[in-house]
């Protein structure tokens, strides 16, 4: 078995550098162009890992970005809006092959299925411990033939439904460890499902966890056997009593449908592409200036971060995390950075799966990214937004480009 991936370790310096600046790859600004934009430096590390550095992204501001448009919003301040009930907390979103949209409402313990025009079609599940019922699902996955997989931590099982909401199967889910939000599981290209054992580690004398270990576990398609892969160890402070410290650079972990892991530490704009077996295939990075935490933000967040609890202002970092979330879809990698001039969740950077920057896209409304992962499918971006009253809505953004991948 390979040793665990230590995400806190320093990245080794490359030996071989190739500066890509041919005319066909050089394009300053934010307009569609096959193969990426700007000057790209490609390095080969001693381990054989390819490191891609995108060097022009720092200069791409709001006026240079492409603009997505909102074409659908589901939800309402009122109990009914004619297209489905008000959401309490949208924990996960899914998109079927025919365009139907799934939204898992965590507090209601149900999955609401909407047609592509936003009309409520039917509801799957309800609160409870009986067949087809939910207590505390971690998320939802959509498999071949429209099968819907729902891992439930409290009911200790994985329930499988067809697209009409009929319960097809239930499998035991006996994994040690803690919950993770958002849940980084996914279906595996060879069949089966990848779940996670998650454990926090403590060092003597520290009141916060000093590490978090994620160990991927592959269930066979019939769920009768398991295969464990090398763990990922994050040497980070994860917070007090299960709650994160404000502006703490938490780990970001995304597993795509091809069985590839995309990992990042929030304190730097660098993404690691890794196989489940532990091989680091690629790293790519871009330039982004971190934002400072103001004295007012520090004092305010320390006093009001958790109701009934306070933290020492000195525990709040001096700088805000640069990265907020990662997702994949349509052979692209979508990275959500925190940038000057944008609200959190209002901008997304698009990369090829080989790490080449392609576009920066501004969203008409900022997505909620804390404990949520947007879905990119069929050239559309699906996610959760909030209004000024903190009411949640499910939205679909039309993408401004088709583009090509590299």
């Amino acid at each position: 078995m390979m040793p665990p991936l230590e995400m806190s370790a320093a990245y080794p310096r490359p030996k071989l550098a190739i500066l890509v600046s041919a005319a066909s790859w050089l394009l300053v600004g934010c307009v569609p162009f096959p193969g990426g934009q700007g000057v790209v430096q490609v390095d080969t590390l001693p381990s054989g890992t390819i490191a891609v550095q995108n060097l022009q992204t720092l200069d791409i501001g709001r006026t240079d970005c492409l603009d997505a448009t909102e074409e659908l919003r589901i939800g309402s301040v009122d109990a009914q809006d004619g297209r489905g009930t008000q959401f309490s907390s949208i924990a996960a979103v899914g998109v079927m092959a025919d365009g139907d949209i799934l939204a898992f409402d965590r507090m209601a313990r149900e999955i609401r299925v909407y047609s592509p025009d936003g009309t409520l079609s039917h509801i799957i599940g309800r609160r409870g411990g009986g067949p087809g019922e939910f207590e505390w699902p971690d998320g939802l996955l959509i498999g071949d033939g429209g099968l819907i997989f729902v891992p439930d931590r409290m009911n200790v099982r994985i329930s499988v439904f067809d697209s009409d909401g009929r319960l097809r199967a239930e499998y035991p889910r006996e994994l040690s460890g803690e919950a993770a939000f958002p849940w980084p599981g996914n279906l595996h290209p060879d069949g089966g499902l990848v779940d996670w054992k998650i454990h926090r580690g403590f060092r003597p004398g520290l009141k916060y966890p000093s590490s978090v270990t994620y160990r991927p576990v592959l269930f066979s398609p019939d769920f009768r056997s398991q295969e464990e892969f090398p763990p990922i160890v994050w040497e980070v402070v994860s917070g007090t009593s299960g709650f994160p410290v404000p502006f703490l650079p938490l780990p970001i972990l995304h597993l795509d449908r091809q069985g590839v892991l995309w990992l990042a530490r929030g304190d730097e704009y660098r993404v690691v592409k890794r196989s489940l077996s532990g091989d680091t295939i690629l790293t790519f990075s871009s330039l982004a200036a971190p934002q400072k935490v103001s004295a007012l933000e520090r004092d305010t967040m320390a006093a009001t971060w958790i109701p009934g609890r306070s933290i020492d202002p000195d525990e709040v970092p001096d700088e805000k995390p640069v990265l907020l979330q990662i997702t994949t879809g349509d052979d692209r990698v979508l990275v959500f950075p925190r940038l000057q001039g944008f609200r959190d969740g209002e901008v997304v950077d698009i990369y090829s799966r080989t790490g080449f920057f392609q576009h920066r896209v501004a969203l008409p409304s900022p997505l909620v990214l804390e404990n949520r992962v947007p879905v990119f499918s069929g050239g559309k971006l699906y996610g959760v937004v909030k209004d000024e009253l903190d009411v949640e809505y499910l939205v679909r953004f039309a993408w401004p480009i088709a583009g090509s991948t590299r």
Side-chain angles (χ1 to χ4, degrees), residues 84 93 366 382:
V93 175
Y382 302 78

mmCIF file of all heavy atoms in Angstrom, residues 84 93 366 382:
data_model
loop_
_atom_site.group_PDB
_atom_site.id
_atom_site.type_symbol
_atom_site.label_atom_id
_atom_site.label_comp_id
_atom_site.label_asym_id
_atom_site.label_seq_id
_atom_site.Cartn_x
_atom_site.Cartn_y
_atom_site.Cartn_z
ATOM 1 N N GLY A 84 -43.262 23.948 -6.358
ATOM 2 C CA GLY A 84 -42.585 23.181 -5.321
ATOM 3 C C GLY A 84 -42.537 23.967 -4.035
ATOM 4 O O GLY A 84 -42.665 25.185 -4.005
ATOM 5 N N VAL A 93 -27.560 18.504 -4.845
ATOM 6 C CA VAL A 93 -28.275 18.694 -6.106
ATOM 7 C C VAL A 93 -27.805 17.625 -7.084
ATOM 8 O O VAL A 93 -26.632 17.239 -7.080
ATOM 9 C CB VAL A 93 -28.007 20.097 -6.684
ATOM 10 C CG1 VAL A 93 -28.659 20.262 -8.054
ATOM 11 C CG2 VAL A 93 -28.491 21.174 -5.727
ATOM 12 N N PRO A 366 -24.316 35.012 -6.421
ATOM 13 C CA PRO A 366 -23.282 34.161 -5.810
ATOM 14 C C PRO A 366 -23.864 32.846 -5.305
ATOM 15 O O PRO A 366 -24.925 32.819 -4.683
ATOM 16 C CB PRO A 366 -22.756 35.019 -4.655
ATOM 17 C CG PRO A 366 -23.858 35.981 -4.344
ATOM 18 C CD PRO A 366 -24.561 36.242 -5.643
ATOM 19 N N TYR A 382 -25.659 24.114 -11.971
ATOM 20 C CA TYR A 382 -26.759 24.028 -11.011
ATOM 21 C C TYR A 382 -26.193 24.231 -9.606
ATOM 22 O O TYR A 382 -25.127 23.697 -9.267
ATOM 23 C CB TYR A 382 -27.440 22.670 -11.077
ATOM 24 C CG TYR A 382 -28.009 22.303 -12.430
ATOM 25 C CD1 TYR A 382 -27.187 21.846 -13.457
ATOM 26 C CD2 TYR A 382 -29.380 22.401 -12.674
ATOM 27 C CE1 TYR A 382 -27.718 21.504 -14.703
ATOM 28 C CE2 TYR A 382 -29.913 22.052 -13.916
ATOM 29 C CZ TYR A 382 -29.070 21.606 -14.920
ATOM 30 O OH TYR A 382 -29.586 21.260 -16.150
#
